[in-house]
Amino acid sequence: CEKVDGVLLESVDGRPHLAQAKPVIAARKPLFIDKPVAANLTDVIEIFRLAKEHNVPCWSSSSLRFGETVAGARSNEALGEIVGCDVFGDSSWAQFHPDLYLYGIHAVEPLFVVMGPGCETVRRIKTEGGDLVVGVWKGGRIGTFRDLGKGKTPATTIIYGTKDSSPGKSGGYNSLIEEIVKFFKTGKPPVSADETIEIYAFMSAADESKAQNGAPVSVQELIQRSRGKQ
């Protein structure tokens, strides 16, 4: 770590990410963590806590956040105020990870870019025919993630505004790489730790709701509970 300018943590399994991030943070090197940040919300929060404690720039993101129409949705005058968003993606899961962490992130990330932070509760309905996660934001705005199951589709975003509605085009890997390069040059993450923690709390809450037969799960209560496990 002492011999490099920055680190990209690219291992696909999120379980060792906290242990792998610790020596990078201890060496005070800028750190980008590819999805998933970790295999559970407690570890996600701990990575960002350590980074903040040691004043280390650290972030993670799906590449799909950076598409122009997605990234610019909240400032798009033609759309007006954003009142809702539907995203379609893949909740294919990996063992030992919450269902959405590995591939659902590619749809959930644009959902939060469009809706902004402030998701209050999450409900999930999963059947043999599909998977639907419903988030309720402050002010009663609703954002959804849907896995079509047998009707697979590339990650798609539908944005609803007070003036118009529009499909959002997500970014590709080139956009993410450009942001990573900027990050290592400036030391300024393009995505805040708080937003990323809320994104992972949304996905973790989806699993908790599924286990509770679709009951609403508070995002902030889940974050506070996970902080208490550190």
Side-chain angles (χ1 to χ4, degrees):
C1 286
E2 296 296 340
K3 296 180 180 180
V4 301
D5 297 314
V7 174
L8 293 94
L9 205 168
E10 296 289 332
S11 50
V12 176
D13 190 336
R15 287 174 293 170
H17 278 189
L18 174 57
Q20 291 169 341
K22 283 181 177 179
V24 181
I25 293 171
R28 288 179 164 79
K29 300 297 181 177
L31 175 62
F32 171 79
I33 305 175
D34 202 358
K35 56 85 181 165
V37 174
N40 58 70
L41 183 58
T42 299
D43 281 5
V44 171
I45 292 171
E46 179 65 3
I47 287 172
F48 285 113
R49 186 195 69 79
L50 288 171
K52 182 178 181 180
E53 180 181 293
H54 291 84
N55 197 29
V56 172
C58 174
W59 68 291
S60 178
S61 176
S62 162
S63 60
L64 274 65
R65 151 184 295 272
F66 298 108
E68 183 177 352
T69 52
V70 168
R74 280 188 277 166
S75 60
N76 187 340
E77 294 183 0
L79 288 171
E81 183 181 349
I82 302 299
V83 295
C85 182
D86 297 330
V87 296
F88 300 83
D90 185 355
S91 57
S92 295
W93 55 274
Q95 196 173 12
F96 307 115
H97 295 70
D99 291 353
L100 273 64
Y101 269 34
L102 220 63
Y103 293 109
I105 183 68
H106 292 312
V108 176
E109 190 99 34
L111 176 63
F112 271 78
V113 175
V114 172
M115 295 291 288
C119 181
E120 295 181 335
T121 61
V122 173
R123 297 184 183 189
R124 182 178 182 188
I125 302 170
K126 184 174 175 60
T127 69
E128 292 183 3
D131 196 354
L132 178 66
V133 181
V134 180
V136 178
W137 267 252
K138 291 179 181 178
R141 296 182 304 139
I142 296 174
T144 69
F145 164 92
R146 184 188 292 268
D147 180 354
L148 298 175
K150 296 177 182 178
K152 292 295 182 184
T153 181
T156 303
T157 304
I158 309 296
I159 305 166
Y160 304 100
T162 52
K163 295 180 180 178
D164 199 3
S165 300
S166 172
K169 186 176 180 181
S170 298
Y173 284 110
N174 284 348
S175 300
L176 176 60
I177 291 169
E178 289 172 1
E179 293 295 332
I180 290 172
V181 171
K182 289 180 190 175
F183 164 69
F184 283 123
K185 287 182 176 180
T186 66
K188 297 178 180 179
V191 186
S192 72
D194 287 343
E195 182 172 348
T196 300
I197 288 170
E198 187 174 322
I199 286 170
Y200 278 81
F202 176 97
M203 296 188 292
S204 297
D207 268 25
E208 289 220 2
S209 178
K210 181 183 73 170
Q212 298 176 30
N213 296 314
V217 174
S218 166
V219 171
Q220 288 303 316
E221 286 180 9
L222 183 57
I223 291 173
Q224 293 304 318
R225 192 162 75 242
S226 297
R227 283 201 170 107
K229 294 179 181 178
Q230 294 173 342

